[in-house]
Amino acid sequence: DNASGKLTYVDYSDVTTYVDRLATLLTAGRLSDESRQIIAKSSWATDYVYDGTIGPIHALSLLLTTPEFHTNNLAKKNGLVRDEYKPPENSNNSYKALVYIMLSGGCDSFNVLVPYTCNGTTALYDEYASERGSVKLDRNSLHVISAGGQVCSEFGLHGSLNNIHDLYTKSELLFFANTGV
């Protein structure tokens, strides 16, 4: 009784119309005619082979690979062939990598990196402590790390993260906080 949606059915038998709908929804209509034809032709063949159950998914997958999906403006071909990629020569510098860790629960980011000294005061830490209540980290239990070019000149790192603290202080680790992931 409280549902705000309704069950509907969309007929996918006209693959051109389906691709056009996807193009409008996912590229704001920027999908080129050539890309639309390739997607429609491939999806129709897939639909034919799999008795109509996989074609719509295949069309969506193909659309997600187009340049129009990955840009906010028109993608235009210039007819030039790209040079073959040649990897750069070894610089003999020590190896560096970007490691992205996505934790699905189990890690409370506000209890990993805590505001410590911001604008020369502890006001932001005090606000953090007030908002977090019983789960706040005590200021005296934190590893203090310096940070330049932002409101907080120092952050507190959870006291159990000794290896992370060591890597950060040796400039071997960076934090990308609040990236909106």
Side-chain angles (χ1 to χ4, degrees):
D1 291 340
N2 295 328
S4 59
K6 61 181 179 177
L7 182 60
T8 62
Y9 171 77
V10 176
D11 182 9
Y12 295 122
S13 61
D14 179 11
V15 72
T16 303
T17 301
Y18 178 67
V19 171
D20 287 342
R21 287 179 180 170
L22 284 178
T24 299
L25 179 65
L26 299 175
T27 68
R30 293 185 312 273
L31 191 64
S32 69
D33 290 338
E34 182 182 6
S35 293
R36 289 174 196 244
Q37 291 170 5
I38 291 169
I39 293 169
K41 183 177 178 181
S42 179
S43 300
W44 179 84
T46 304
D47 236 5
Y48 178 75
V49 172
Y50 291 104
D51 193 25
T53 57
I54 303 297
I57 295 170
H58 186 66
L60 176 60
S61 298
L62 287 174
L63 189 137
L64 297 179
T65 66
T66 64
E68 294 91 343
F69 178 75
H70 295 279
T71 59
N72 289 328
N73 47 355
L74 294 176
K76 295 184 180 181
K77 294 183 179 182
N78 60 16
L80 300 175
V81 178
R82 292 185 183 188
D83 293 335
E84 184 176 329
Y85 174 76
K86 295 177 186 158
E89 292 188 27
N90 188 350
S91 65
N92 294 323
N93 292 337
S94 61
Y95 174 78
K96 293 184 180 188
L98 175 63
V99 178
Y100 174 79
I101 301 172
M102 179 66 174
L103 302 171
S104 297
C107 180
D108 183 350
S109 63
F110 290 111
N111 277 0
V112 172
L113 202 57
V114 176
Y116 196 83
T117 305
C118 305
N119 292 326
T121 71
T122 63
L124 199 52
Y125 173 82
D126 296 338
E127 183 180 335
Y128 154 83
S130 173
E131 289 294 323
R132 300 295 286 172
S134 65
V135 296
K136 74 178 183 300
L137 294 176
D138 184 76
R139 202 170 147 78
N140 296 325
S141 71
L142 301 170
H143 293 294
V144 180
I145 59 174
S146 61
Q150 53 190 337
V151 173
C152 292
S153 58
E154 295 177 317
F155 284 90
L157 185 63
H158 193 286
S160 297
L161 299 175
N162 297 322
N163 291 338
I164 300 292
H165 178 255
D166 293 343
L167 289 170
Y168 183 85
T169 56
K170 292 190 276 185
S171 297
E172 295 179 4
L173 179 132
L174 293 173
F175 288 98
F176 290 94
N178 299 324
T179 55
V181 178

